[in-house]
Amino acid sequence: MSKILAVDDSKSMRQMVSMSLKSAGHDVVEAEDGAQALDIAKQNQFDLVVTDINMPNMNGIELITALRGMPNYKFTPILCLTTESSGDMKTKGKEAGATGWIVKPFSPEKLLSVIGRVL
């Protein structure tokens, strides 16, 4: 069982991600923006972070950059789960240190398949 941090400003999206992951046996902690996620990540170690890109307070790119700056998150898989599918945004994500990219809307099977590959 993996410990996963799910970050999205949409409550329904967080619930969908959380339910998909929990049904596969993962332990999930939710955060509603990058700033909250960073606070949670400083106090806990996660095996994987799934984050939205467009969020208030601290966006996903800023969150990934901040996490990659922490020694215990240097090699943790970080997946972007977003409506952004432009090459430019994917490049920014990769430069910040994102491991992978899932475009919304997604199926729970697709999410679990990608997570299975990075964990």
Side-chain angles (χ1 to χ4, degrees):
M1 178 181 79
S2 297
K3 194 167 176 186
I4 301 175
L5 178 59
V7 192
D8 201 304
D9 56 333
S10 157
K11 187 170 193 222
S12 59
M13 187 54 69
R14 276 199 316 273
Q15 287 173 330
M16 188 176 154
V17 169
S18 190
M19 279 186 343
S20 301
L21 297 174
K22 285 178 178 170
S23 71
H26 298 293
D27 184 14
V28 183
V29 175
E30 297 177 22
E32 60 192 38
D33 62 40
Q36 186 186 32
L38 192 56
D39 285 343
I40 294 170
K42 284 177 180 169
Q43 294 159 24
N44 303 273
Q45 181 64 46
F46 292 93
D47 301 305
L48 172 75
V49 178
V50 178
T51 182
D52 186 18
I53 294 295
N54 299 314
M55 299 180 289
N57 302 321
M58 175 188 261
N59 69 34
I61 302 289
E62 293 164 335
L63 172 62
I64 295 166
T65 303
L67 287 172
R68 288 295 183 225
M70 295 163 57
N72 54 334
Y73 281 98
K74 243 182 186 33
F75 304 107
T76 303
I78 302 175
L79 296 175
C80 297
L81 182 62
T82 178
T83 52
E84 293 278 354
S85 59
S86 74
D88 182 44
M89 194 52 87
K90 283 185 181 173
T91 302
K92 283 188 180 142
K94 290 250 185 296
E95 284 171 356
T99 311
W101 202 270
I102 303 170
V103 178
K104 296 176 194 171
F106 66 94
S107 69
E109 296 78 25
K110 166 94 173 132
L111 177 67
L112 292 171
S113 157
V114 172
I115 286 173
R117 285 202 300 268
V118 298
L119 281 178

